[in-house]
Amino acid sequence: MSARTRRLQRTLAGRASGSTRAWWERYLKGEAAFRGVPMAEVRRATKAWWHDEGLDGEDVRTGRDAALDLFASRFTEDKLAGTIALAELCIENLGDTDLPAFARLFDLGHVGDWNVTDWFAVKLLANLVCESDDPARTARAIADWRKGRTLWQRRAGLVAFANLARHGDAAFPGQTDLLLETADVLVRDPERFSQTAVGWVLRELGVAEPERVSAFARDHRERLSREALRNLTAKLDPASRKALRDAHAAR
């Protein structure tokens, strides 16, 4: 790691609390390491570091790479700081061409749990779509992560759309088809975090496209976990919700 990265890490270490660390470790059930820094402090420290290091005046690659360097840390707060830097401080200079660098974080194991994955997807990848001059093109490139090598990259390729899904094709042309195609890949994996990605995103898509989401649930009732189906149907009308859950229970 660079000296620049270590300076932020020292700041974060100085703001850590044992009680905060214990809470997060219980919540993640020991699946990730934490310093114990509250999220508001992570954001404040990251923004101050970005300014103090002169990254707001550097070329985009320098800033991007400084943020990416933070993901090599074992501590979750450092990875969240990297996400904040990318998603909030240099997003306007990022685009589709940065996706391979982001994908390498998964291949290297630097993004390897659901908490960091979901932050990265919902904060950064979703912002890439919203900031793109061609949102549909950028969305397709992200959704192509459904073919990724790791569970976490595949999950990110769908949950990136959790906050956009409820708008259906009003968010960008072809979103509904894209999300259903991506969900069709993830639902074939019985692993819990593939299944919950499908349930979460299609629950939101059901606000805009209840009939298509219902059809997906019927077509995949043999593959959907009980947890995923319960989530997927949460925003459908009561009659549809009951019919789909009854059909699932009768498999």
Side-chain angles (χ1 to χ4, degrees), residues 161 164-169 171-180 205:
F161 303 96
L164 295 171
R166 71 192 68 178
H167 304 294
D169 287 358
F172 59 84
Q175 177 176 222
T176 300
D177 286 343
L178 183 66
L179 297 190
L180 291 172
L205 183 61

Side-chain angles (χ1 to χ4, degrees), residues 223-242:
R223 297 187 176 98
L224 281 162
S225 70
R226 183 176 180 181
E227 180 183 20
L229 182 81
R230 184 172 64 250
N231 203 5
L232 180 153
T233 57
K235 294 188 178 181
L236 298 178
D237 67 85
S240 297
R241 184 164 59 244
K242 183 177 186 306

Side-chain angles (χ1 to χ4, degrees), residues 135-177:
R137 182 199 66 222
T138 301
R140 286 192 299 271
I142 291 169
D144 201 47
W145 283 14
R146 63 183 180 261
K147 306 173 201 170
R149 289 173 48 201
T150 70
L151 162 66
W152 305 113
Q153 185 181 2
R154 296 192 295 272
R155 178 179 171 90
L158 184 56
V159 301
F161 303 96
N163 292 333
L164 295 171
R166 71 192 68 178
H167 304 294
D169 287 358
F172 59 84
Q175 177 176 222
T176 300
D177 286 343

Side-chain angles (χ1 to χ4, degrees), residues 73-95:
S73 170
R74 69 187 185 93
F75 291 110
T76 295
E77 291 92 340
D78 302 24
K79 299 174 192 291
L80 298 184
T83 302
I84 289 167
L86 293 168
E88 299 180 14
L89 303 177
C90 62
I91 186 66
E92 63 189 23
N93 295 314
L94 300 176

